[in-house]
């Protein structure tokens, strides 16, 4: 475990897609944003045999950068706070190694995390990064539904002539 006086610094951002170069593992982030538009449509059920009308999950990419003054070993957890205050444990989705080890200064670690949030609930979510049980950083993600679907009822197709749109799930 790292020395308690040896703080692990955590920075992060959210984007809609990542490109990882073969060999070098260098990351390029696309569409860095704090807000995402989620449109309803036909989505597969869990068994993928039928589809239902509803909001798809929002897949997000979170790039997390860890740095420290000297080498450190630490435990990391990522979670999301929903607009209602509930917690989604993103660590379960992401299966992080336990523990992490980093070098000092620029010998830190850049982690790509791919998780999903429920697209059916608009509002502000907070992606929280926790190091050794202590909140180290929070990044907001806003889910917005298009105005034409504000009164949309889940599992009900749109009325004739309503815009349906599309999404990337």
């Amino acid at each position: 475990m790292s020395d308690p006086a040896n703080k692990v610094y955590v920075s992060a951002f959210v984007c809609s897609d990542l490109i990882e170069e073969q060999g070098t593992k260098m990351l390029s982030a696309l569409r860095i944003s704090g807000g995402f538009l989620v449109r309803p449509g036909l989505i597969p059920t869990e068994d993928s045999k039928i589809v239902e009308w509803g909001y798809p999950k929002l897949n997000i990419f979170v790039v997390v950068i860890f740095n420290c003054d000297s080498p450190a070993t630490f435990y990391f957890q990522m979670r999301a706070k929903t607009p209602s205050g509930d917690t989604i444990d993103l660590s379960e989705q992401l299966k992080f190694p336990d523990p992490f080890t980093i070098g000092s200064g620029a010998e830190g670690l850049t982690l790509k995390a791919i998780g999903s949030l429920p697209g059916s609930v608009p509002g502000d979510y907070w992606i929280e990064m926790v190091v050794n049980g202590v909140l180290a950083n929070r990044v907001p993600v806003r889910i917005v539904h298009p105005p034409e679907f504000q009164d949309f009822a889940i599992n009900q197709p749109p009325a004739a002539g309503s815009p349906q749109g599309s999404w990337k799930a």
Side-chain angles (χ1 to χ4, degrees):
M1 205 46 119
S2 64
D3 177 350
N6 191 17
K7 180 176 173 53
V8 175
Y9 300 98
V10 180
S11 56
F13 62 87
V14 177
C15 59
S16 62
D17 204 357
L18 283 174
I19 298 171
E20 184 174 353
E21 291 182 24
Q22 295 287 336
T24 66
K25 302 282 187 190
M26 294 293 291
L27 296 176
S28 295
L30 303 174
R31 292 183 293 282
I32 297 170
S33 179
F36 297 89
L37 184 69
V38 180
R39 296 179 183 276
L42 292 174
I43 55 175
T45 59
E46 285 186 26
D47 62 10
S48 298
K49 293 182 181 174
I50 59 174
V51 294
E52 296 178 336
W53 187 257
Y55 286 96
K57 289 182 180 178
L58 173 65
N59 293 324
I60 59 168
F61 295 82
V62 182
V63 176
V64 184
I65 302 165
F66 302 98
N67 295 100
C68 198
D69 293 328
S70 60
T73 299
F74 60 93
Y75 293 92
F76 175 68
Q77 177 188 18
M78 185 182 295
R79 61 189 181 214
K81 291 286 186 179
T82 67
S84 66
D86 294 331
T87 300
I88 300 169
D89 185 356
L90 297 174
S91 296
E92 287 181 9
Q93 293 179 25
L94 302 169
K95 298 179 177 49
F96 294 130
D98 212 12
F100 284 91
T101 300
I102 61 173
S104 62
E107 295 178 34
L109 171 70
T110 300
L111 172 72
K112 69 173 184 178
I114 306 166
S116 63
L117 298 173
S120 59
V121 181
D124 289 346
Y125 292 74
W126 285 93
I127 308 301
E128 298 183 337
M129 280 66 60
V130 178
V131 173
N132 294 332
V134 177
L135 180 64
N137 197 355
R138 300 175 81 204
V139 177
V141 174
R142 178 169 290 170
I143 292 179
V144 177
H145 291 167
E148 63 268 25
F149 292 104
Q150 292 298 323
D151 297 323
F152 174 70
I154 296 296
N155 296 327
Q156 296 296 316
S162 295
Q164 293 187 21
S166 63
W167 70 93
K168 178 185 174 193

